[in-house]
């Protein structure tokens, strides 16, 4: 009886030092892939999230910036990946109003640079491409949003991601590239960037509990997001590239919660019942038992334009990919809060991430 030797798949991940890049790397290494991660050069350490996998045999790091097309072309030619996951981005929506041109360069043209490298290196028939598209592209379109919902972005970030979405489709339709867009709704984890609202909240609540912070200053409490766990979403990315045919898929939990709901849930996890008083800039979150003000609104966190409600309809991914999110909203909040409490105690989290308290 002969053996069939299965070839090790080679994945290239841009944005490997980010939340999704780190979780996807671990996921693919577990699947037996060889993983090549592209990281930005920085003179401060930016590998905290991948520290546990840095020494793995099948994990390799390379410097790259999506604004540098020549280097991307060289790396693709040298690495010859089977799968490319483009996760690199200037990913902060509010920041995109401050650096709109840079955001367009990285999030929009950066994708074109990868696609052109694939085309000019004659890799179109060999490689599969995943583009990290975003629910932010739906902007002001009414929920629930799915693959057929009209796009109406409300930020430079959303507009740049929409260009990237369409150029990905264009290369699929023009050159037959196996290129898929994952239109992902907000997904979080204990390694979510600290400047995004969920992690800002869980870090603040943990710090307030530890007596290290007095109050959480927050922006728009009314905005509603469809929050899921990033661990579930990286599996969805991989599933898209395992399909015979490329396509575009929404990944979402299907429930919208307000920022206020998230704050309330996080304080509830530490046994504090909040009551909300006042409106607009004067709204306060108050500890029902002690009367202490724990949350206040600060307009510096508002954006020039806001996406009010995102709530996804992921039925296509359920039916065609067999993808379903596993982690509930309550479990997500609890896990993130517990991880931030552990960080403050200088402990390792259950996920195995060792994060230094700052
Ligand atoms: P993230 O944590 O902010 O990670 C972004 C990554 O991109 C980081 O590794 C960052 O490097 C890298 N990067 C930034 N500028 C770059 C450049 N010019 N060249 C190369 N790399 C660059 O974001 P994430 O939450 O993991 O999201 C991953 C992708 O999914 C992003 O494209 C994001 O826009 C998209 N997305 C995210 C969500 C979500 O809810 N998380 C939802 C929809 C879509 P440094 O760490 O060194 O800065
Ligand atoms: O956590 P956020 O900054 O995420 P946002 O803007 O929804 O973007 C994230 O999700 C997108 C998918 O829909 C991704 F494409 C994108 O890369 C990123 O991962 O803000 C969520 C909501 C917003 O409405 C914001 O105005 O929270 C509101 N908010 C209220 N106070 C705040 C704050 N956001 C931040 N970052 N900080 C605050 O203090």
């Amino acid at each position: 009886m002969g053996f069939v030797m299965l070839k090790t798949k080679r994945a290239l991940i841009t944005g490997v030092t980010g939340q999704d890049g780190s979780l996807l790397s671990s996921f693919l290494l577990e699947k037996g892939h060889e993983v090549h991660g592209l990281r930005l050069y920085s003179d401060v350490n930016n590998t905290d999230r991948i520290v546990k996998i840095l020494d793995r045999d099948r994990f390799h790091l390379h410097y790259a910036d999506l604004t540098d097309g020549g280097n991307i072309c060289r790396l693709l030619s040298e690495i010859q990946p089977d799968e490319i996951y483009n996760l690199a981005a200037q990913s902060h929506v509010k920041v995109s109003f401050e650096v709109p041109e840079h955001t367009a360069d990285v999030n929009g043209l950066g994708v074109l640079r990868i696609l052109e490298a694939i085309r000019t290196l004659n890799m179109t028939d060999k490689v599969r491409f995943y583009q990290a598209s975003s629910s932010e592209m739906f902007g002001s379109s009414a929920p629930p949003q799915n693959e057929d919902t009209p796009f109406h972005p409300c930020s430079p970030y959303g507009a740049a991601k929409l260009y990237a979405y369409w150029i990905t489709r264009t290369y699929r339709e023009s050159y037959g590239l196996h290129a898929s867009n994952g239109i992902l709704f907000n997904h979080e984890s204990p390694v979510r960037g600290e400047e995004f609202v969920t992690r800002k909240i869980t870090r603040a609540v943990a710090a307030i509990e530890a007596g290290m912070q007095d109050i959480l200053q927050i922006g728009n409490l009314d905005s509603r997001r469809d929050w899921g766990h990033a661990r579930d979403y990286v599996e969805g990315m991989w599933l898209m590239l395992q399909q015979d045919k490329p396509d575009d898929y929404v990944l979402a939990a299907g429930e919208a919660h307000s920022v206020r709901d998230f704050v309330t849930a996080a304080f509830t996890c530490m046994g504090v019942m909040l009551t909300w008083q006042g409106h607009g800039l004067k709204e306060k979150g108050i500890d029902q038992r002690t009367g202490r003000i724990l949350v206040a609104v600060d307009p510096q966190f508002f954006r020039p334009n806001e996406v009010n409600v995102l709530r996804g309809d992921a039925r296509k991914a359920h039916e065609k990919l067999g993808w379903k999110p596993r982690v509930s909203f309550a479990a997500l909040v609890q896990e993130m809060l517990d991880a931030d409490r552990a960080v403050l105690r200088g402990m390792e989290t259950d996920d195995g991430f060792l994060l230094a308290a700052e």
Side-chain angles (χ1 to χ4, degrees):
M1 217 166 75
F3 288 104
V4 179
M5 289 293 285
L6 286 178
K7 182 180 165 274
T8 302
K9 273 203 184 153
R10 194 174 295 151
L12 185 150
I13 302 176
T14 72
V16 74
T17 55
Q19 170 188 258
D20 291 2
S22 61
L23 295 172
L24 180 65
S25 296
S26 300
F27 176 84
L28 293 179
L29 286 168
E30 288 311 307
K31 290 237 163 274
H33 279 49
E34 178 179 318
V35 175
H36 291 258
L38 305 195
R39 67 188 280 211
L40 270 181
Y41 171 74
S42 167
D43 57 5
V44 292
N45 180 27
N46 61 0
T47 55
D48 279 357
R49 294 186 178 102
I50 50 173
V51 75
K52 290 259 169 165
I53 55 175
L54 281 175
D55 292 337
R56 297 279 292 264
D57 289 346
R58 284 177 282 108
F59 186 68
H60 309 274
L61 276 179
H62 311 266
Y63 288 115
D65 189 318
L66 286 201
T67 61
D68 179 351
N71 188 39
I72 289 166
C73 199
R74 176 187 66 81
L75 286 167
L76 257 62
S77 167
E78 284 175 16
I79 296 166
Q80 293 286 324
D82 303 297
E83 297 177 351
I84 299 176
Y85 296 88
N86 180 39
L87 310 184
Q90 189 302 94
S91 74
H92 203 283
V93 174
K94 181 168 185 287
V95 172
S96 79
F97 288 96
E98 284 151 49
V99 292
E101 195 174 323
H102 173 72
T103 302
D105 196 1
V106 178
N107 300 7
L109 288 179
V111 184
L112 177 64
R113 292 182 184 107
I114 301 174
L115 293 168
E116 264 300 271
I118 293 171
R119 188 180 73 81
T120 55
L121 291 166
N122 294 320
M123 293 168 73
T124 307
D125 295 336
K126 177 186 174 291
V127 77
R128 295 185 174 196
F129 179 76
Y130 172 86
Q131 167 55 20
S133 286
S134 167
S135 53
E136 187 70 14
M137 301 186 309
F138 294 123
S140 57
S141 268
Q145 295 104 351
N146 65 25
E147 295 81 2
D148 298 322
T149 303
F151 296 117
H152 190 144
C154 300
S155 63
Y157 171 86
K161 283 285 183 182
L162 191 50
Y163 171 79
Y165 166 90
W166 276 114
I167 200 68
T168 298
R169 284 190 64 156
T170 301
Y171 274 62
R172 175 167 87 215
E173 289 160 13
S174 309
Y175 306 118
L177 176 65
H178 193 298
S180 297
N181 283 290
I183 309 172
L184 271 50
F185 283 64
N186 299 50
H187 47 278
E188 321 292 313
S189 74
V191 294
R192 180 58 144 154
E194 291 160 13
E195 63 287 358
F196 297 95
V197 77
T198 54
R199 187 77 198 288
K200 174 174 166 178
I201 294 166
T202 57
R203 270 169 58 88
V205 171
I208 289 170
E209 182 183 46
M212 295 163 72
Q213 185 171 329
D214 293 330
I215 192 166
L216 164 63
Q217 303 278 0
I218 197 103
N220 183 359
L221 285 163
D222 292 321
S223 101
R224 300 174 72 79
R225 289 291 180 272
D226 181 327
W227 281 296
H229 198 301
R231 211 169 33 225
D232 290 339
Y233 290 57
V234 299
E235 181 178 11
M237 297 174 189
W238 171 76
L239 281 168
M240 287 177 215
L241 294 202
Q242 309 318 304
Q243 306 306 303
D244 288 340
K245 292 206 170 118
D247 206 342
D248 306 320
Y249 298 92
V250 158
L251 299 186
E255 289 173 21
H257 298 268
S258 67
V259 172
R260 189 183 295 99
D261 292 340
F262 198 105
V263 175
T264 303
F267 275 105
T268 304
C269 288
M270 73 174 221
V272 171
M273 296 304 139
L274 276 191
T275 183
W276 294 93
Q277 289 178 12
H279 293 287
L281 292 178
K282 298 217 165 93
E283 185 165 359
K284 305 269 186 271
I286 296 170
D287 183 339
Q288 267 179 28
R289 194 176 58 79
T290 63
R292 180 179 156 200
I293 296 173
L294 294 173
V295 188
V297 175
D298 184 336
Q300 72 162 299
F301 300 112
F302 291 176
R303 294 151 188 210
N305 197 0
E306 180 63 278
V307 170
N308 294 320
V309 190
L310 290 175
R311 177 165 58 84
D313 162 11
R315 270 176 299 178
K316 181 175 170 184
H318 298 172
E319 284 158 21
K320 299 212 163 156
L321 303 177
W323 178 85
K324 279 234 161 88
R326 298 186 183 91
V327 182
S328 68
F329 174 74
L332 172 69
V333 178
Q334 183 79 58
E335 183 182 329
M336 290 179 70
L337 182 64
D338 287 346
D340 279 321
R341 284 168 154 161
V343 169
L344 288 186
R345 283 186 239 114
M347 283 166 46
E348 200 163 346
T349 68
D350 287 345
D351 267 333
F353 293 107
L354 186 61
L355 304 171
E358 290 175 3

